Amino acid sequence: MTLRLGRHTFADDAMLMMAIVNRTPDSFYDKGATWAEDEAFDRVARVVDEGAEIVDIGGIKAAPGAEIDVAEELRRVAAFVARVRTAYPDLVVSVDTWRAEVGRAVCAEGADVLNDAWGGADPALVDAAAEHGAAIVCTHTGGVTPRTRPFRIEYANVVSSVIEDCTAYAERAVAAGVDRDSVVIDPAHDFGKNTVQSLEVTRRLGELVGTGWPVLVSLSNKDFVGETLDLGVGERLTGTLAATAVCAMAGARVYRVHEVTETRQVVDTVRSIAGLRPPARAIRGLA
Amino acid sequence: MSSVRDVVVVPSTLALLPSYGGLADPVADLRAACTSAVQWLVERHPSSIGVVHGPARSDNVARGVTRPAGLAIAQHLLHTDSSVPSYLSPRVEVDDESVSGVLVVANGSATRTEKAPGHLDERAAGFDEVVGRALREGDPAALRKVDEELGVDLWCHDVPAWHRLGDLVEGPVLRAVVDYDDDPFGVQYWVVRWQCGS
């Protein structure tokens, strides 16, 4: 399905890199490396150079912590969105927020995508996307409250729950006026899930792809990778890329990542294995 | 009239279930304590054990999981399931006179540290101290008074089980042994054995 992300349209075989840009002092992976605006802007330049089609700008870390109100979230992201929009007109600008009020403000500054990591916790977010012609990412969290950790959450069938909730959210977005080509679903690894559940979602990702909605995966350096390999936050790239390969083989369309170059290489390799992309240069045995 | 003579308390962490297990056991010490305590209970009451646990969490029920986690953990530790009630019947009323051993599946708060599942709540230490003291001192009356609303705030969904245990034990607790008392993930776990008079 053709994917329309705000001002930008992508062919149905395009696999897109969404680079994470945190405007936070305390996110789990970069720990404030791009908290300063100029550092964040340098990160945008770097990931654009590495070939990312999308930047995902977030002002609140996912884990519990100090309350960040709407005003503070907007201070962190709104002007930055405008700066990136102006500097990179061809770049898709996504904002990681669950709040409709923030969504409206950042769309007014030029955001193309509202990436709701918290499963529709604010039901008006779809209206914000519809009003501005923005795309929306519909995640599955099992109904948890934003910024809470999963605690003994169980599912009779985790993938069925993911499909049911994501597709219901997607249809709700369309009913609110979001273009059907501008809706993406995300099973949200680690969110409302333990490691075993996130692994099962990865193993059965093809069932999500089978719904017909474009699938985004956010795997990068997450705890389910860390627990699978018993590795700390800074040691999870290999495991992340293994999970990425599985999702690419299943047909995921968008990859929300810290490491753009490495992820792109994995996705391109998988696409070539799948017969969807010719090798970059093939001379071995052919000369 | 209660016929309860011995009680074992174990926590309701899903990490005890093999379906969520990994290559290494993150709760090896806890599991060893649970296994040992449950074995003690089974040896003393081979055919008359009842189980006390909290209700299935409503959010999990909505996702299709109707079996309470505490029951699943009890069945695992007792090596049985509801279809083979050899010495455990989850339907048995624990104040039934045939029940003399009780396995309680419950724990404390899950908000003891910033890395805890429910993040840090300063009230957690006080809440857990109330429950922990009751368990250490064999004080069922104190368990009957545990604040359920505060428990929910602190991500402890087992207060109904603490109340039930408090109701069940009518006579004095002659001996209380704490085999495990720790919060390795910011969740308060206990493994406790009580021997009760009648």
Side-chain angles (χ1 to χ4, degrees):
Chain A
M1 190 162 76
T2 299
L3 185 58
R4 192 166 68 80
L5 302 176
R7 300 154 183 79
H8 316 273
T9 301
F10 297 93
D12 60 6
D13 62 347
M15 291 188 168
L16 309 177
M17 297 297 126
M18 171 189 266
I20 298 162
V21 180
N22 290 318
R23 295 293 341 277
T24 58
D26 48 8
S27 286
F28 82 102
Y29 184 65
D30 60 40
K31 301 192 188 317
T34 54
W35 171 227
E37 182 174 320
D38 285 344
E39 297 294 333
F41 198 70
D42 288 347
R43 160 112 177 126
V44 172
R46 188 164 62 252
V47 297
V48 167
D49 189 50
E50 291 171 349
E53 290 88 355
I54 309 167
V55 288
D56 189 40
I57 298 164
I60 305 179
K61 71 169 180 174
E67 166 74 11
I68 307 298
D69 62 16
V70 168
E72 174 61 17
E73 187 180 0
L74 284 172
R75 269 193 293 277
R76 293 180 178 191
V77 299
F80 187 69
V81 166
R83 183 178 175 188
V84 172
R85 171 82 288 141
T86 301
Y88 298 97
D90 296 332
L91 184 65
V92 178
V93 178
S94 169
V95 172
D96 181 346
T97 186
W98 75 87
R99 292 170 167 148
E101 189 174 348
V102 174
R104 287 192 172 90
V106 296
C107 284
E109 299 290 354
D112 299 294
V113 179
L114 297 178
N115 178 20
D116 176 12
W118 291 104
D122 184 343
L125 191 69
V126 292
D127 302 317
E131 289 161 17
H132 291 273
I136 190 161
V137 180
C138 304
T139 56
H140 168 273
T141 65
V144 300
T145 301
R147 303 192 67 201
T148 58
R149 298 189 175 103
F151 181 55
R152 301 179 183 176
I153 289 178
E154 297 193 276
Y155 301 88
N157 184 327
V158 64
V159 174
S160 295
S161 177
V162 168
I163 289 174
E164 187 175 322
D165 288 3
C166 285
T167 57
Y169 189 0
E171 292 295 351
R172 193 163 62 76
V174 171
V178 179
D179 192 294
R180 187 169 283 276
D181 293 344
S182 298
V183 177
V184 177
I185 64 173
D186 172 6
H189 289 72
D190 274 359
F191 282 54
K193 298 169 194 70
N194 60 37
T195 289
V196 172
Q197 291 158 347
S198 289
L199 291 170
E200 181 172 354
V201 166
T202 309
R203 185 164 63 246
R204 297 173 58 190
L205 197 84
E207 295 176 47
L208 273 72
V209 173
T211 65
W213 296 102
V215 174
L216 179 152
V217 286
S218 183
L219 311 164
S220 199
N221 299 294
K222 282 188 168 174
D223 280 351
F224 83 97
V225 174
E227 290 198 348
T228 298
L229 299 176
D230 193 18
L231 292 173
V233 169
E235 307 170 298
R236 300 174 179 174
L237 178 58
T238 304
T240 296
L241 295 177
T244 299
V246 171
C247 292
M249 202 67 184
R253 298 280 300 278
V254 185
Y255 300 81
R256 182 175 180 274
V257 300
H258 296 104
E259 286 90 3
V260 173
T261 300
E262 293 85 346
T263 310
R264 173 75 77 192
Q265 289 178 5
V266 167
V267 170
D268 282 351
T269 303
V270 170
R271 291 184 67 216
S272 295
I273 292 168
L276 300 172
R277 170 190 177 274
R281 177 176 180 276
I283 188 61
R284 178 181 172 81
L286 300 176
Chain B
M1 184 66 183
S2 171
S3 54
V4 173
R5 302 303 302 263
D6 294 302
V7 173
V8 161
V9 172
V10 297
S12 55
T13 171
L14 296 178
L16 291 170
L17 294 177
S19 54
Y20 294 121
L23 293 174
D25 187 354
V27 292
D29 294 347
L30 173 66
R31 187 185 308 279
C34 293
T35 301
S36 176
V38 169
Q39 184 178 356
W40 173 83
L41 188 68
V42 169
E43 285 172 356
R44 294 165 70 89
H45 307 274
S47 60
S48 55
I49 295 176
V51 174
V52 170
H53 53 78
R57 259 177 33 190
S58 58
D59 57 332
N60 285 331
V61 171
R63 298 183 196 98
V65 180
T66 55
R67 185 173 65 161
L71 176 58
I73 291 161
Q75 289 171 325
H76 169 62
L77 292 173
L78 290 163
H79 304 292
T80 186
D81 60 55
S82 55
S83 64
V84 189
S86 54
Y87 47 79
L88 165 77
S89 168
R91 290 176 296 281
V92 75
E93 289 296 328
V94 282
D95 50 0
D96 184 308
E97 288 192 2
S98 67
V99 171
S100 55
V102 171
L103 176 59
V104 181
V105 188
N107 53 227
S109 74
T111 56
R112 292 178 60 82
T113 67
E114 290 196 352
K115 295 293 186 185
H119 202 54
L120 175 64
D121 188 314
E122 302 288 355
R123 300 171 296 173
F127 175 84
D128 292 331
E129 177 53 26
V130 168
V131 181
R133 187 188 311 121
L135 293 173
R136 282 193 306 276
E137 298 180 357
D139 185 354
L143 289 178
R144 285 196 289 273
K145 297 178 192 164
V146 174
D147 185 336
E148 183 169 2
E149 191 174 337
L150 176 59
V152 171
D153 281 356
L154 302 176
W155 293 35
C156 171
H157 304 94
D158 294 327
V159 175
W162 295 129
H163 290 171
R164 189 79 177 101
L165 174 58
D167 289 337
L168 275 172
V169 177
E170 295 174 348
V173 176
L174 304 177
R175 186 161 184 256
V177 178
V178 178
D179 294 319
Y180 187 99
D181 178 356
D182 204 354
D183 63 344
F185 311 107
V187 185
Q188 178 62 51
Y189 303 145
W190 297 280
V191 177
V192 175
R193 289 174 286 142
W194 280 1
Q195 291 175 258
C196 310
S198 55

